[in-house]
Amino acid sequence: MGSDDEAAFAGLMERQWRFACKVAWSVLRNVQDAEDAAQEVFLKLLRNKGWRDLRDERAFIARAAWRTAVDRLRQHGAAALEQDVAAEEPGPEDAVVDANWERA
């Protein structure tokens, strides 16, 4: 990839990175997972060189980020659900918070 291509791809990422993260977050509701999904979208674009021929880059990024997030949700949905259930059990932090509330 030449320096012109690198600059053009960097410009695409600068323009659309936050948007891709927001779209992915709307599905995943987790910042780290959303950033991972957005990164996956841009890596696929870079590898396939499909970013050069985009007519409406915002629409394409939205669709790709949405699909990637949904795929991640399907793949990791059961594991995330199990973690959420485990997180509902009170932990040591909850005991400290409860004690502080009682003292107040």
Side-chain angles (χ1 to χ4, degrees), residues 20-36:
C21 288
K22 287 178 183 180
V23 171
W25 184 86
S26 71
V27 174
L28 298 167
R29 298 292 187 200
N30 180 296
V31 173
Q32 293 163 336
D33 291 340
E35 288 176 351
D36 289 346

Side-chain angles (χ1 to χ4, degrees), residues 83-100:
Q83 288 176 354
D84 288 344
V85 170
E88 290 176 8
E89 297 174 9
E93 296 88 6
D94 296 321
V96 171
V97 170
D98 290 342
N100 286 340

Side-chain angles (χ1 to χ4, degrees), residues 12-91:
L12 171 66
M13 283 194 67
E14 286 176 22
R15 289 188 304 274
Q16 301 301 336
W17 175 257
R18 289 184 62 164
F19 177 67
C21 288
K22 287 178 183 180
V23 171
W25 184 86
S26 71
V27 174
L28 298 167
R29 298 292 187 200
N30 180 296
V31 173
Q32 293 163 336
D33 291 340
E35 288 176 351
D36 289 346
Q39 184 178 23
E40 188 176 331
V41 168
F42 285 102
L43 282 174
K44 285 181 181 178
L45 275 173
L46 183 62
R47 287 180 186 148
N48 297 330
K49 300 176 183 158
W51 59 275
R52 294 177 181 158
D53 300 323
L54 294 178
R55 290 184 186 163
D56 186 352
E57 66 185 35
R58 190 169 175 91
F60 181 87
I61 296 294
R63 188 171 40 253
W66 181 269
R67 288 180 179 168
T68 301
V70 168
D71 287 344
R72 291 177 69 85
L73 191 60
R74 286 182 187 147
Q75 291 172 357
H76 304 292
L81 182 58
E82 290 173 8
Q83 288 176 354
D84 288 344
V85 170
E88 290 176 8
E89 297 174 9

